[in-house]
Amino acid sequence: METTDVVILGAGAAGMMCALEAGRRGRRVVVLDHAARPGEKIRISGGGRCNFTNREAPPQRFLSRNPRFAISALSRFTPADFIARVDRAGIAWHERTLGQLFCDGSAAQIVAMLTGAMAEAGVDLRLGRKIGAVSRAGRFVVETDAGAIAAESLVLATGGKSIPKMGATGLAFRIAAGFGLAVTETRPGLVPLTFAEQELADLRPLAGVSVAARVSLGRTSFEEGLLFTHRGLSGPSILQISSYWREGDSLTIDLARGGTAGRALREARGAGGRGELLAALSRHLPEKVARMVLGRSGLSGRLADQPNAALDRIDAAVHRWQVAPVGSEGYRTAEVTVGGIDTAALDARTMEAKAMRGLYVIGEAVDVTGWLGGYNFQWAWSSGWAAGQAV
């Protein structure tokens, strides 16, 4: 049987970061992945330009049963640390809204940076390998279609269940559970939300229309773009709130954040507004959205003929639209998995299982889920780095 120091399951962002760090420490590292190429999620992220981190990554922008768990790794390998590596690799990048950093060129540059560093560190990357049973008898033993490998340390870096067409299966969860580690409830995150047929009758004509919105669920709210789809709602604000949404929850949506539609219509009416109500409201919303708002409010006609109560109804429909999604588009389009291997079972500094020395869990497999905007990649870099110092 082949033996090595470390076997890492998964050649994604976290797995590659862990591998190159462990290799630099002189550890013999084998990385196994079923895919034909490493870093497939990196390649498709950010429209092919990879939103590789965010300027800031405070723990408040991560969901977990234990929100403080991520602090150790995030504070020891920061966004600035990863940016420095990108700069040293000569990869040009730019900043978009809300601190999001993207490659100027292809996301493949980030993959090349990581695989190049792994090669320099002597990491053995093996792609297209099917992983079978994983057991422990003194050492960890990983069965593959090319034979078994025994190792002192095993790192679970296969991600969650999101985007199954890329091969996501929840393998890390099954292996962890087999070793006695608890797995929290998992669900799709950063995913479009869907609506019942009666709601869609009003929304379908708006498919493809976007607005700058504020979407709220309880005390949590996001002010970003909202996109109407044939199945419901998407766009950054919806993807963000989806990680918090549970079946039965209602959302409050402001379709014209920063504005006051009711006041604006009253002022227009006071200035002698003789035009149609639709035309007046369309100055503040896309016309199709304005039609939807008026249709749901049961209003039409001239602005000058509208009483204050009617304008108040419009204001509520624009700024306090109450909607109740019936579901999401699921793991098929979800960018991440919310939940995962319980942080209570892991050492926050090393990512090692407390009850099983030599077993490590990193990246999306852990019950740590970031907001949209580079946070999940930063968690992958930070948790992978932390484990790489310890395996």
Side-chain angles (χ1 to χ4, degrees), residues 49-349:
R49 294 187 183 274
C50 188
N51 180 192
F52 58 83
T53 192
N54 197 287
R55 280 285 189 189
E56 299 180 355
Q60 297 88 345
R61 294 175 187 174
F62 294 84
L63 288 75
S64 175
R65 279 191 178 179
N66 178 8
R68 297 188 60 79
F69 179 84
I71 293 175
S72 177
L74 290 170
S75 62
R76 289 161 56 226
F77 189 85
T78 68
D81 292 321
F82 192 77
I83 293 168
R85 295 194 181 193
V86 171
D87 287 340
R88 285 197 297 271
I91 300 173
W93 53 271
H94 59 278
E95 182 173 346
R96 297 186 190 174
T97 59
L98 304 174
Q100 301 172 51
L101 306 187
F102 290 77
C103 297
D104 285 356
S106 169
Q109 293 175 291
I110 299 293
V111 178
M113 178 186 77
L114 296 168
T115 55
M118 285 196 297
E120 291 175 2
V123 173
D124 187 351
L125 174 61
R126 303 181 189 179
L127 301 170
R129 295 294 172 85
K130 293 182 179 179
I131 298 168
V134 179
S135 59
R136 188 182 188 188
R139 290 176 173 237
F140 292 95
V141 177
V142 179
E143 303 286 347
T144 79
D145 56 348
I149 306 174
E152 296 173 6
S153 299
L154 174 67
V155 183
L156 304 182
T158 58
K161 302 176 181 177
S162 58
I163 317 183
K165 70 179 181 181
M166 294 180 61
T169 62
L171 176 63
F173 303 151
R174 295 196 297 274
I175 294 173
F179 284 127
L181 276 64
V183 179
T184 70
E185 175 194 3
T186 58
R187 64 185 191 278
L190 301 182
V191 63
L193 297 176
T194 58
F195 290 83
E197 190 59 37
Q198 60 270 26
E199 196 81 40
L200 288 176
D202 290 335
L203 298 184
R204 280 202 183 100
L206 280 68
V209 175
S210 62
V211 296
R214 170 193 254 172
V215 180
S216 304
L217 175 60
R219 295 183 178 180
T220 302
S221 64
F222 294 95
E223 295 188 6
E224 297 185 62
L226 177 148
L227 175 69
F228 292 89
T229 74
H230 287 95
R231 302 186 65 191
L233 297 175
S234 187
S237 61
I238 293 296
L239 299 185
Q240 295 278 38
I241 209 72
S242 72
S243 294
Y244 294 83
W245 178 83
R246 297 295 191 99
E247 187 174 347
D249 287 342
S250 292
L251 305 177
T252 301
I253 299 178
D254 182 347
L255 292 168
R257 62 182 176 88
T260 51
R263 181 188 302 172
L265 292 176
R266 288 191 192 203
E267 290 175 352
R269 183 189 60 186
R274 298 176 180 274
E276 291 295 309
L277 181 58
L278 174 61
L281 186 57
S282 296
R283 297 190 185 99
H284 307 281
L285 293 170
E287 182 179 340
K288 288 184 177 181
V289 179
R291 287 184 183 277
M292 184 267 287
V293 167
L294 294 180
R296 295 176 72 90
S297 303
L299 297 171
S300 61
R302 298 191 312 159
L303 173 60
D305 297 333
Q306 307 301 321
N308 287 341
L311 301 187
D312 289 342
R313 279 158 57 193
I314 294 172
D315 190 80
V318 170
H319 299 296
R320 295 179 297 282
W321 181 29
Q322 300 289 317
V323 294
V326 295
S328 77
E329 292 191 2
Y331 289 115
R332 180 182 64 85
T333 60
E335 295 192 21
V336 294
T337 300
V338 179
I341 295 166
D342 198 336
T343 58
L346 305 176
D347 183 314
R349 186 169 182 81

